[in-house]
Every structure is written in C-alpha cells, then in structure tokens.
Amino acid sequence: MASQFLQEVLHVNRLTIEGGVPLEGSVRVHGAKNAVLPILAATILNRGVNVIHDCPDLKDVRTTMKILTHLGASVKREGSTVIVNTEGELTNHIPDALMREMRSSIFFMGAILSRCKSARISAPGGCELGPRPIDLHIKALGEMGAKIQESHGYINCEAEHLVGTNIHLAFPSVGATENVLLAAVFADGKTTVTNAAKEPEIADLAAFLNQMGADIRGAGTGVVEITGVKELHGAEHTVIPDRIVATTYLAAAAATHGNVTLTNVIPAHNTAVLSCLKDCGCSLTIGEQSVTMRAPRVLAPLDYIKTLPYPGFPTDAQSPMMAMLTVADGTSIVAETIFESRFKHVEELVRMGADIKVDGRVAVIRGVPALSGATVTAMDLRGGAALVVAGLAANGLTEISNLQYIDRGYEDIEHNLRSLGARIRRA
Ligand code: EPZ
C-alpha cells in the first residue's frame, strides 16, 4: 500500500467503513505525537546526534522533520526511529509555508532562541480549533529577557542571553510550558514555572532534555524548576505512548460493543477516560503497559463531561468519546472548556443520525439506537477520528474525506483498525 506520504501527494484521502462489526483483538499504540513534536524541536539544543525511538510516521512529524532540515540539521528515519544530527551551524528562521503546515510548531521559538540567540518565525495564526493565541508564550519569554516584536505576520525574538526568573502562566498552556522549558535550559540561573501544564508529554520532553544534560525538576506537576546549564549533548529516547490514540481505539471498541486489548499504553496517563468508560459499563483489566476492555451490549450515558487541563478529561478525547456517546442508552452532556471551536464534528455526526444539540461550548447528546453510514468530512484531527468511531458503529457504509487531518495524528489508522476486525480501507 502506498505510504501515507505518497497518499497525501496523490490526494488519496478517503476512508470507507462498513460499520456494525464489534472490534475484537489486540493492537499496539504508537508513540505520542504531542510528545515527539517538542522532543524533535529540542534536538537543536545540543550539537550532537539524537536518537528518538517509537517516533510515529505522521504528517505533523514529517513537517517537523522538514523544519529541522530547513534549520540545518540532518534528519533520517530508520523504521520507527528518527536520528537527528544537529552538529552543524543552524539558521534561526522558519519560513511561513512550513509554519503554516503545522500550527503547533510554536515551540520551535524557545528552542531556536536558546540555540541561536534570536529567532524569526511566522505567527501560527488561527486553525481549525479557533484562534491559536500565543500571548502566554510571548509574555513568558519576555519575562526571561527576550525582546519580541511581531510584524508583517512574523515574530522576531532577540535574546543575547536569557535570565532565569519566576514565571506564572495565567493558563496551564501545554505549548507555553514547553516553550519555557526549551528557552530556560541555558538561561542564567533558575527558572520556576508555576501553574505549568501537567500533561505527560511535558514530563516526556523534560526527561529527554535531562538525558541531554539539562537540570529540570518537577515536570508533570504544576511547578517546574529549570536550572540553566552551559551546554547539552546528544541523547537517545523512547517516546511515551499516545494516550489520545489509545482513547480513540477504546471509544471505537466501546461504540461497537467489542472486546479489545491495547498494548504499549501507560494506563496512568488515561485515568479520566478509563473512568468514563467504566461509568459507561465497560469492564476494564489494567495491566502494567496494557488495557483490556470488554464493552457492554448497551452503553450507559455520561451525565456530564467537562474537558480540563491534565489530569482532567482531555480536550483531545472529547470528540471520539462523543461519537461513542451518540449510541449510549440515554443523554450525555459534554462541555468543551479548552478550545473555542471544537464541535465541528457534531454536524457530521448528525448527518449519520446522531441526536446532538450544541449551545456555545456545551453539547447535549441524546443516544440513538443506531447511527447510519453516510458521506462525511473531517474538519480537524480529533473530529476526524470521531467520524471513524461513528462509522465503525454505524449500520451501512460511511465514507470520510479530508483524511489529511486524521493522518496528522494517527499512523496507518486503517491498518490498525483492520487488525481489530474493522471493515475499513483507504479508497
Ligand atoms: C497542545 O496544544 C496539543 N498540541 C493539543 O493537541 C491539545 O489539544 C492542547 O495542547 C491541550 O491539551 C500539541 O501538543 C502539539 P494550549 P497547545 O496552549 O499547546 C489557549 C491534538 O489534537 N492559549 O494548552 O496549542 C489556547 O487558545 C492537538 O493533538 C492562549 O490563550 O494547547 C487554548 O484555548 C490539538 N494563549 C488553550 O489555551 C497562549 O499563549 C489551551 O492551549 C496559549 C494557549
């Protein structure tokens, strides 16, 4: 089968699903997109060879590898391992076209600033989830002594040297926390971040930085301390499993009343989702690095889910779990508190027979006996995943277009789901 890259070029971007088959069997969860992206950016902080294992082959990862190559690093993939050599001279500028390919590459700002003392990147701009402001990033780096000005759609940062200080984030932003970590590793003295994001991907980034020789404590908690060091060396690292991919597979298994085992998971990273699945009547067996879930014949609804910063219910899990709730036996309510516009999948689910009413950031989902297959369009990454979950549960044929969104976060989704018995293929 043509590689995902080829399929993007050939624009083969439709999934067809013959739904109604309970998912059965075992599938391995790949490395976490939201950990590997900042980790790849962090490789420019040393002048060495970095070996990153379990690096999923995703569109966003390929874009990040293109950015590293543009900056002057040498990057190659060997299976699921990516090797990044950053010994040479690096440029400090990311062109607009590359930045536009991936809104969330803003964490290169901190990394380039640390390595090159100045950075020129284009503003990430809005995206499918609504505006992607970076005020918290700008404020934090400014407090460390960076001179930042935005003009003509570009952000220009200068900082001969960054000074450690106390930084309080008004919101526990994942990206802003990552940018501060990347900017603080060489800063003079100690930087303390309070109200830091606690997502596991932050702890994984810090683990990689510490393997390079950084001095970071408390990552994964609300208070992170970074003590500046003189230089860092190349490191080897295995990326944590993708907790949102795990959630998506479990939501699909629950929606199809199946029985699956996920391997290469860290159950502790998924407590909020696992608790919801239990409340829906799923029986869960939690292993060291696996989760086995048997779904009930009839799913119970969830009275109220509110997306929150980690360890609360993850915003990235909202849409796949909503797709599952469309066929629960009763009414569920979902509040999306993190992003402004993250209900674009609702209209597409309604086309498949779901009964969902949206009022601002709250969606009321009244379960229906069954969805019916339809032709639907992915509008963003996790919304696209929700359509896959719905298509697997629906009676009849579902066709999903705009796969480039889904391919940003799911490696070979059709192959992995087929291994669980799904009747799914890329057109
Ligand atoms: C990261 O995005 C993830 N992306 C997102 O995953 C995830 O949904 C999000 O964290 C929340 O968990 C990556 O890690 C690459 P934030 P990020 O900064 O860093 C507002 C996926 O599907 N905000 O925590 O952009 C912002 O507008 C993606 O894999 C400001 O107001 O998230 C949003 O409403 C989608 N000012 C909220 O905070 C800022 O300076 C959370 O954003 C920064 C953010």
Side-chain angles (χ1 to χ4, degrees):
M1 182 187 63
S3 77
Q4 273 187 345
F5 171 69
L6 204 55
Q7 285 163 17
E8 277 161 34
V9 169
L10 298 174
H11 292 299
V12 175
N13 68 347
R14 282 178 187 289
L15 278 181
T16 56
I17 303 172
E18 184 64 51
V21 177
L23 297 188
E24 312 261 343
S26 170
V27 68
R28 182 185 185 278
V29 175
H30 61 61
K33 166 178 88 80
N34 292 347
V36 77
L37 297 181
I39 282 172
L40 286 172
T43 59
I44 70 172
L45 293 174
N46 61 56
R47 298 171 188 274
V49 177
N50 301 275
V51 181
I52 318 290
H53 299 296
D54 210 355
C55 190
D57 184 10
L58 302 169
K59 188 164 176 284
D60 279 3
V61 172
R62 286 194 290 276
T63 300
T64 303
M65 290 165 69
K66 274 196 271 185
I67 291 175
L68 287 170
T69 306
H70 168 84
L71 293 174
S74 81
V75 189
K76 66 178 176 186
R77 175 179 282 277
E78 288 173 2
S80 65
T81 296
V82 168
I83 298 151
V84 187
N85 185 327
T86 53
E87 285 161 335
E89 273 318 297
L90 300 184
T91 175
N92 72 344
H93 159 235
I94 301 179
D96 190 54
L98 275 178
M99 275 300 279
R100 281 187 183 283
E101 271 189 46
M102 190 175 71
R103 296 291 169 222
S104 55
S105 33
I106 189 64
F107 39 67
F108 269 101
M109 185 159 70
I112 296 174
L113 208 47
S114 280
R115 170 75 183 250
C116 306
K117 311 288 177 219
S118 66
R120 177 174 158 71
I121 60 173
S122 84
C127 75
E128 57 276 359
L129 304 181
R132 291 306 275 270
I134 56 169
D135 54 310
L136 300 175
H137 300 244
I138 303 285
K139 181 171 184 292
L141 296 182
E143 286 167 359
M144 296 175 70
K147 299 274 170 289
I148 301 172
Q149 37 107 341
E150 299 176 62
S151 63
H152 309 300
Y154 267 84
I155 306 164
N156 298 296
C157 314
E158 300 285 334
E160 204 24 56
H161 65 266
L162 293 160
V163 181
T165 182
N166 295 332
I167 290 172
H168 181 80
L169 293 177
F171 178 85
S173 153
V174 172
T177 304
E178 290 165 347
N179 248 330
V180 173
L181 258 65
L182 294 165
V185 288
F186 297 136
D188 294 348
K190 184 160 93 169
T191 301
T192 301
V193 189
T194 50
N195 198 30
K198 304 175 188 170
E199 274 71 2
E201 293 77 23
I202 309 268
D204 205 31
L205 170 63
F208 180 54
L209 289 167
N210 284 340
Q211 270 157 301
M212 289 187 199
D215 179 353
I216 302 171
R217 298 157 208 269
T221 74
V223 181
V224 185
E225 292 180 344
I226 308 106
T227 304
V229 295
K230 284 281 162 273
E231 65 175 13
L232 297 173
H233 51 75
E236 185 161 7
H237 184 75
T238 299
V239 178
I240 57 170
D242 193 311
R243 58 196 169 96
I244 307 302
V245 169
T247 297
T248 307
Y249 290 155
L250 290 172
T256 57
H257 314 294
N259 174 6
V260 300
T261 293
L262 304 189
T263 58
N264 192 46
V265 295
I266 300 175
H269 290 172
N270 273 32
T271 47
V273 166
L274 294 175
S275 163
C276 287
L277 290 166
K278 209 154 107 263
D279 292 347
C280 288
C282 297
S283 74
L284 293 158
T285 308
I286 309 293
E288 273 288 289
Q289 295 187 344
S290 69
V291 169
T292 295
M293 186 192 80
R294 177 183 293 280
R297 207 180 46 72
V298 177
L299 286 168
L302 291 171
D303 293 343
Y304 185 55
I305 298 187
K306 185 174 180 179
T307 65
L308 288 168
Y310 191 89
F313 187 88
T315 173
D316 295 348
Q318 178 257 108
S319 50
M321 292 293 278
M322 182 190 287
M324 174 196 77
L325 292 170
T326 63
V327 290
D329 179 27
T331 298
S332 307
I333 297 178
V334 174
E336 171 54 64
T337 72
I338 305 291
F339 283 105
E340 208 166 274
S341 160
R342 203 167 196 177
F343 281 148
K344 290 190 177 146
H345 47 283
V346 168
E347 219 173 288
E348 301 301 299
L349 292 173
V350 168
R351 284 169 65 86
M352 298 176 71
D355 178 348
I356 307 172
K357 298 271 179 303
V358 169
D359 180 1
R361 290 198 181 199
V362 175
V364 179
I365 303 108
R366 289 157 60 115
V368 294
L371 297 177
S372 50
T375 301
V376 289
T377 306
M379 310 295 274
D380 61 59
L381 163 52
R382 307 300 173 185
L387 300 180
V388 174
V389 172
L392 292 167
N395 295 330
L397 191 72
T398 296
E399 190 170 279
I400 305 171
S401 57
N402 271 1
L403 289 199
Q404 66 276 17
Y405 284 119
I406 299 174
D407 291 338
R408 286 184 45 208
Y410 296 85
E411 183 182 64
D412 214 354
I413 191 164
E414 68 274 22
H415 174 79
N416 286 311
L417 289 170
R418 261 206 305 275
S419 73
L420 296 174
R423 289 181 302 212
I424 178 174
R425 64 183 186 77
R426 206 171 276 255

